[in-house]
Amino acid sequence: MNEGLNTVSGAVSVSGLVSIVVSLFCIWLSWWALQNLKLDLVIRNPQGTQGKLLQVLLAIVLGHFVAGFLLDYLTWSQMIRYMF
């Protein structure tokens, strides 16, 4: 019975680690993509503290949504094997 608990605990740990890595990668990717955005058309001082903070927050929000999609897609693709 203890072996089953260790297996479940290991699977949850790996799942959590994969989620963290995917989320951080997507946030970094969003930050990189936002560097090409001309924020000076929307923000008064994009190089200031508030402009950079807005860029970081946008990267986090966008990265979170992209990571959520990728993790959901990964989960759904793993569920397909139970269909047959």
Side-chain angles (χ1 to χ4, degrees):
M1 182 159 166
N2 198 13
E3 292 175 15
L5 184 60
N6 287 338
T7 304
V8 171
S9 176
V12 170
S13 299
V14 169
S15 176
L17 185 62
V18 167
S19 296
I20 289 171
V21 169
V22 168
S23 294
L24 289 176
F25 176 74
C26 288
I27 290 171
W28 173 81
L29 191 66
S30 298
W31 172 261
W32 178 72
L34 285 172
Q35 297 301 309
N36 201 29
L37 189 64
K38 292 191 85 147
L39 289 177
D40 57 340
L41 299 175
V42 182
I43 302 172
R44 287 186 207 137
N45 185 10
Q47 297 302 324
T49 305
Q50 291 174 329
K52 288 296 181 185
L53 178 62
L54 180 63
Q55 201 169 13
V56 168
L57 293 175
L58 285 172
I60 291 171
V61 169
L62 184 61
H64 174 73
F65 282 121
V66 172
F69 170 76
L70 291 175
L71 292 170
D72 283 344
Y73 192 82
L74 178 65
T75 302
W76 297 332
S77 65
Q78 289 176 347
M79 287 181 187
I80 290 175
R81 66 178 158 189
Y82 299 115
M83 198 165 126
F84 301 107

